[in-house]
Amino acid sequence: MSDQLTAPPSRWFIEAADDELTIFERSREGRRAFIAPRLDVPERPLDELIPAELRRREGARLPEVSEPEIVRHYTRLSKRNFDLDTGFYPLGSCTMKHNPKLHERVAGLPGNADLHPLQAAGDAQGALELMWRLQHSLGEIAGLPHVSLQPSAGSHGELTGVLITRAYHEANGDRRTKVLTPDTAHGTNPATVTMAGYELVKIGTDEYGNVDIDDLRRHVDTDVACLMLTNPSTLGLFERHIEQIAKAVHDVGATLYYDGANLNAIMGICRPGDMGFDIVHFNLHKSFTQPHGGGGPGAGPIAVAAHMEPFLPRPQVVRREDGSFDLDHDRPHSIGRMRGFQGNYGVFVRSYAYIRSLGAAGLREASEVAVLNANYLLARLRREGVLEYLPAAYDRICMHEFVLSGAVMKRELGIRTLDLAKRLLDHGVHPPTVYFPLIVDEALMVEPTETETRETLDHFAAVVAEILREAATDPEIARTAPHTAPVRRLDEAGAARHPVVRQPL
Ligand SMILES: *Cc1c(COP(=O)(O)O)cnc(C)c1O
């Protein structure tokens, strides 16, 4: 008893969390949330409706609970998680911007929500038109006119793009073996390269945070199929030598791939196609307001230059000469299908609503404010003295995000970037991305996005400064944080390697 009284308040939350029963444990035989009305048509034997071999042999093991129990159970669980509708979520590289609620309204319209994926093209003209128009808008934003909406995520867009690169080289009778990525690349880039059967070659970063041009020149030859690049890079910096890089890559006949995860910094300001990129992926769940986190659904459409168009996935959404919309399967050089059906349609509706409600000028303004917010926040952190312990990895004007290094903080205050990140949760702020990019020691990558107010940014800077002050007198508090979340430090590697996803019955 006395133990409990002296324990930090967090204990209570942990025990409450451990106490949470699963929905199956709440089950009581015969309890119901809904009772179907009495049958008002003649009863027919089930065998007439569903053949016996298609029916389950024993009843589904579903929990039997009342409606209030269901509502409370899931509402309680939902409050255990940190989400964008609750607080600031400056997760670098992920663009956790506000998702306008209007988009949910539009995606939920019966014509959108009730659409069947096997509906004949003639009966789904509105949906096909929306997809066709979205393709057109994305092509315009990328500066590359030919778009496929099929890939389901950025990483899936990467795989599609690199397979298209392979098909393109093979069509030219050209066998190439290597793909280059900078050492700042997102982990999905090397994974894509390996999955597509290429050898990965890493290119270094120079002292200003740009691609090391000399290192690139050393590695770029006619064995190279492609260079995958993120611009602005994962350091939040605009690649200053992009024209030289594009030339070096094209001179050896390789393609230039644009990882579009950071498109939020440049929409409507400059276009990857104009920089010399041949293939672009978009993360509609990052730049174009599809809610994300928790694993999807997302969409990673790609846009390509004219010389790669024949290889796009099949089918393509097209407009026929008579003005009708259709799915074109007649694409002999296509790499084939990348997934079932046409992609995550609800995502397309939200992204299209976003593009149309902002318009070209609005998209540009969104990017400008995203960059302004990041630079404002960096300046604010400097003024609060935070950068003395967490210096910017490369001290330049940043784009929509910036990367700090916690190495000095670790040495002088005895807390690591992970500790700072966890302590932020106690202040109602989601941690920024940590330990990425890999080339920055104790990296902390902050992306405030355009949708946050100045007060929120000021609050974040003040909270980080407060955590550093606290660490100077008692580093143990941050080292054992979070103290107010439902759980404390998790075994993340264990959770990934041995996930328990099924309740034993
Ligand atoms: C998020 C991200 C990806 C992968 O995109 P997913 O949609 O998560 O598959 C690739 N590159 C960068 C730089 C990213 O931030």
Side-chain angles (χ1 to χ4, degrees):
M1 186 66 194
S2 64
D3 235 23
Q4 265 188 0
L5 284 176
T6 52
S10 54
R11 285 303 301 159
W12 187 86
F13 286 93
I14 294 161
E15 274 151 25
D18 292 343
D19 278 353
E20 177 74 49
L21 299 178
T22 67
I23 194 86
F24 289 93
E25 288 165 334
R26 289 182 191 284
S27 180
R28 294 292 175 275
E29 203 178 329
R31 211 166 264 174
R32 289 288 179 274
F34 175 77
I35 295 167
R38 197 180 285 281
L39 203 62
D40 61 357
V41 292
E43 192 171 329
R44 284 169 61 193
L46 203 52
D47 282 342
E48 278 181 22
L49 300 168
I50 307 172
E53 72 270 19
L54 293 182
R55 296 199 331 245
R56 61 169 91 241
R57 309 213 193 298
E58 48 190 270
R61 285 184 288 179
L62 297 173
E64 299 178 69
V65 283
S66 71
E67 179 167 323
E69 280 180 297
I70 298 175
V71 172
R72 286 178 194 152
H73 178 73
Y74 286 108
T75 304
R76 242 187 341 261
L77 287 182
S78 76
K79 288 183 180 168
R80 291 259 187 93
N81 220 340
F82 193 102
D83 61 276
L84 196 51
D85 288 344
T86 312
F88 186 39
Y89 210 131
L91 197 64
S93 216
C94 294
T95 307
M96 302 297 280
K97 62 163 91 176
H98 174 66
N99 310 122
K101 302 305 168 207
L102 170 72
H103 301 177
E104 298 310 315
R105 216 23 217 285
V106 185
L109 290 174
N112 286 325
D114 298 345
L115 203 60
H116 194 280
L118 286 174
Q119 206 130 3
D123 298 334
Q125 284 293 298
L128 290 171
E129 178 170 356
L130 184 146
M131 290 164 72
W132 186 83
R133 292 190 183 281
L134 177 62
Q135 288 177 182
H136 190 80
S137 300
L138 293 174
E140 182 65 31
I141 291 165
L144 293 167
H146 305 286
V147 176
S148 167
L149 299 177
Q150 244 185 57
S152 305
S155 45
H156 200 209
E158 291 172 31
L159 183 63
T160 309
V162 175
L163 291 178
I164 287 175
T165 285
R166 173 188 284 287
Y168 164 75
H169 289 308
E170 280 174 2
N172 293 337
D174 204 358
R175 269 201 57 81
R176 296 179 178 233
T177 55
K178 293 189 272 192
V179 172
L180 312 180
T181 68
D183 55 7
T184 52
H186 191 267
T188 51
N189 293 185
T192 293
V193 173
T194 308
M195 273 189 83
Y198 283 109
E199 183 195 333
L200 174 72
V201 179
K202 285 203 178 167
I203 305 297
T205 298
D206 74 13
E207 59 183 306
Y208 306 104
N210 297 309
V211 167
D212 184 335
I213 287 281
D214 296 330
D215 197 31
L216 176 68
R217 293 232 160 87
R218 271 194 293 280
H219 287 99
V220 71
D221 57 33
T222 52
D223 281 341
V224 172
C226 177
L227 167 67
M228 300 180 80
L229 212 62
T230 313
N231 192 20
S233 71
T234 62
L235 293 164
L237 303 175
F238 193 82
E239 178 53 61
R240 285 186 179 154
H241 306 128
I242 185 58
E243 286 172 336
Q244 272 169 276
I245 293 171
K247 184 167 184 320
V249 168
H250 289 147
D251 279 351
V252 296
T255 64
L256 190 56
Y257 182 93
Y258 184 87
D259 177 332
N262 289 343
L263 202 68
N264 209 43
I266 63 159
M267 296 181 300
I269 300 170
C270 59
R271 309 193 303 174
D274 299 337
M275 296 179 209
F277 286 92
D278 305 293
I279 313 168
V280 169
H281 84 242
F282 307 83
N283 305 64
L284 297 189
H285 43 289
K286 293 181 182 174
S287 325
F288 298 94
T289 71
Q290 162 72 17
H292 68 127
I302 57 164
V304 302
H307 57 288
M308 320 212 81
E309 190 276 340
F311 311 105
L312 279 175
R314 172 168 65 207
Q316 270 291 89
V317 178
V318 294
R319 182 153 76 174
R320 300 287 185 202
E321 265 167 26
D322 65 0
S324 67
F325 297 91
D326 202 0
L327 293 172
D328 180 15
H329 291 264
D330 184 19
R331 300 182 52 79
H333 301 288
S334 166
I335 58 165
R337 261 195 184 281
M338 290 304 289
R339 54 161 291 151
F341 308 112
Q342 311 315 320
N344 287 321
Y345 177 71
V347 182
F348 304 154
V349 177
R350 291 182 186 87
S351 297
Y352 187 65
Y354 182 66
I355 291 170
R356 290 309 300 259
S357 53
L358 260 65
L363 284 182
R364 182 187 174 107
E365 192 182 348
S367 285
E368 287 170 349
V369 176
V371 173
L372 179 64
N373 269 2
N375 280 285
Y376 174 81
L377 182 54
L378 187 58
R380 190 79 203 185
L381 288 165
R382 195 185 303 274
R383 204 163 93 187
E384 295 272 0
V386 166
L387 299 197
E388 285 164 38
Y389 295 96
L390 288 149
Y394 296 87
D395 208 357
R396 273 167 55 179
I397 296 282
C398 66
M399 297 296 289
H400 64 310
E401 63 191 358
F402 54 86
V403 180
L404 308 179
S405 166
V408 181
M409 171 179 76
K410 181 171 147 189
R411 198 169 60 234
E412 304 207 346
L413 300 178
I415 67 167
R416 304 183 59 202
T417 290
L418 183 68
D419 305 325
L420 171 68
K422 295 294 185 193
R423 187 66 176 132
L424 281 169
L425 284 167
D426 292 331
H427 290 273
V429 171
H430 193 279
T433 296
V434 295
Y435 301 99
F436 175 71
L438 304 176
I439 63 165
V440 176
D441 193 16
E442 292 287 322
L444 186 80
M445 182 190 216
V446 186
E447 178 178 1
T449 81
E450 71 278 12
T451 53
E452 297 299 336
T453 63
R454 187 169 162 182
E455 289 75 16
T456 302
L457 305 182
D458 291 348
H459 176 69
F460 177 77
V463 162
V464 176
E466 169 59 28
I467 295 172
L468 296 182
R469 273 194 296 277
E470 175 187 80
T473 52
D474 188 356
E476 205 49 32
I477 300 175
R479 283 189 207 134
T480 50
H483 299 280
T484 56
V487 289
R488 306 280 284 267
R489 294 288 169 108
L490 300 173
D491 175 3
E492 285 158 12
R497 296 208 182 116
H498 309 288
V500 181
V501 293
R502 190 168 197 161
Q503 175 72 22
L505 292 173

